[in-house]
Amino acid sequence: NSYLTHDKVIPWRRVGAFATFGFCVTGPVTHFFFQLLENMIKNVPHAALKRLLLDRILFAPLFLLLFMFGVNVLEGKSIPDTIKLIKKRFWTVLKTNWKVWTPMQFINFKYVPLQYRVLFASIVALGWNAYMASQGGHAPASKPSHTSHAGVADEKKSKA
């Protein structure tokens, strides 16, 4: 399930899990959530800030749970192991999510037209995922571990 290139293994199952989840869940869910926020909060003072607060306080934790669960299951992890990983990693990953995504979502809600918000978030997500991969798969500002931001342990690095 992996391909070796220049001494680096590409975990194709993980790539497939992220791509499948992104295409089938992230895109549609964020599209409808952004539309809901726009319809709920329009033409009021500080609309972008109000959308941001709802996104960060309600959507981010719930979607992160869904993401961590979905990606781990798609990677072939058992449900009990997935729940265990979520319990271990959720708070650290959520705090990192808030640090990185809060300014990006403020820009998104304040300056990006509704029809381009999912695209903007997807572009940021590419950078975020590349950064996470460059950090050995662990969440920044946490104790170093060999875990992806989805909470999946990297067995090969753990044994090294």
Side-chain angles (χ1 to χ4, degrees), residues 90-133:
F90 179 76
W91 182 240
T92 299
V93 176
L94 180 62
K95 288 188 295 186
T96 303
N97 176 290
W98 283 336
K99 289 175 190 174
V100 171
W101 281 95
T102 300
M104 295 299 103
Q105 287 296 66
F106 179 75
I107 292 167
N108 204 7
F109 294 133
K110 180 78 175 171
Y111 302 108
V112 178
L114 177 61
Q115 65 267 28
Y116 300 118
R117 288 184 188 156
V118 173
L119 177 62
F120 178 83
S122 296
I123 291 168
V124 173
L126 283 173
W128 168 250
N129 289 333
Y131 176 74
M132 293 296 285

Side-chain angles (χ1 to χ4, degrees), residues 72-85:
N72 277 289
V73 169
L74 286 170
E75 284 189 72
K77 305 293 186 267
S78 70
I79 290 176
D81 285 347
T82 296
I83 292 169
K84 185 177 176 181
L85 287 168

